[in-house]
Amino acid sequence: MNHDNYDDSYIRGILNTAKTIAMVGVSANTSRPSYFAFKYLLERGYRMIPVNPGLAGQELLGQKVYAKLADIPEPVDMVDVFRASQHALPIVQEALALEPRPQVIWMQLGIRNDEAAKLAEANGLKVVMNRCPKIEYGRLSSEIAWMGVNTRTITAKKAQLFGRGIQRMALNRVTMAGGTTDATTRAQKADESGG
């Protein structure tokens, strides 16, 4: 796979199917990118599991922190690597030892390790490098368009309200580059047929 460029459909597919995300290297410092990426994804309904040996046993935003992936007592769909590139390979090796294995290894912005990616892909895992799932979710859902960012997403649909009247966009938007998800196609057909 070409890790210099990802189709929107590839990213959207991962974000639509991953429900449980272990974030390795998350920080409790509220000014760190890992903290607000963790918080953002948690608020979007993902089951977020913090992994940081320095915080193990504590809670982060109501979620128990684990020292390592092997300590997590439930299956994980995606491992989000918030550590420097040289740590990606050992994290992938640890992820491959999990049973069941995660479906995705996601390396954050600035993190690229081709050896780790090759190992993960050779074992059937999807890989994303040098991208942030928070940013990709915001772009594909059009939430970052509220701040004037061109998302290449076209929609006239109103955002859904969650919780106490908070607007949250979904990933079922059409992008000019990436097409639609199966769920979007089914919803469009239902709208067209009146049901």
Side-chain angles (χ1 to χ4, degrees):
M1 164 166 262
N2 176 4
H3 289 289
D4 295 322
N5 189 24
Y6 299 100
D7 287 339
D8 286 348
S9 59
Y10 180 75
I11 299 293
R12 183 183 281 110
I14 290 170
L15 294 174
N16 273 333
T17 57
K19 303 299 179 207
T20 303
I21 302 172
M23 185 178 284
V24 179
V26 66
S27 175
N29 182 337
T30 58
S31 65
R32 301 286 302 185
S34 62
Y35 177 88
F36 52 80
F38 185 91
K39 183 176 187 288
Y40 178 92
L41 294 170
L42 184 65
E43 290 173 350
R44 296 316 177 275
Y46 291 97
R47 167 78 174 103
M48 297 299 296
I49 302 174
V51 179
N52 183 324
L55 302 173
Q58 300 176 36
E59 282 198 358
L60 180 65
L61 296 170
Q63 311 304 307
K64 183 178 177 181
V65 183
Y66 294 93
K68 57 188 178 195
L69 292 173
D71 294 342
I72 299 171
E74 63 187 274
V76 172
D77 299 319
M78 182 170 107
V79 174
D80 184 5
V81 180
F82 239 113
R83 299 283 319 274
S85 297
Q86 67 266 26
H87 300 289
L89 183 58
I91 293 168
V92 167
Q93 291 166 335
E94 186 180 358
L96 290 172
L98 297 176
E99 193 58 47
R101 288 180 175 167
Q103 302 160 9
V104 179
I105 298 293
W106 190 302
M107 298 179 219
Q108 280 288 341
L109 282 173
I111 303 170
R112 182 176 180 125
N113 186 314
D114 291 316
E115 185 181 358
K118 185 176 179 179
L119 177 62
E121 289 174 332
N123 283 278
L125 279 62
K126 292 182 178 177
V127 175
V128 176
M129 295 192 286
N130 194 26
R131 296 281 181 103
C132 175
K134 173 193 177 295
I135 292 170
E136 294 302 309
Y137 187 103
R139 182 179 67 81
L140 293 171
S141 70
S142 296
E143 284 184 3
I144 61 173
W146 298 343
M147 295 176 278
V149 176
N150 180 2
T151 65
R152 301 184 329 258
T153 304
I154 301 171
T155 186
K157 291 186 179 182
K158 190 175 180 181
Q160 294 176 330
L161 293 179
F162 291 88
R164 293 166 277 166
I166 298 169
Q167 282 188 328
R168 294 283 186 246
M169 302 295 274
L171 290 172
N172 60 351
R173 303 284 189 228
V174 177
T175 60
M176 295 173 64
T180 62
T181 64
D182 291 341
T184 304
T185 303
R186 286 192 304 274
Q188 287 171 339
K189 286 180 182 175
D191 286 347
E192 290 168 4
S193 67

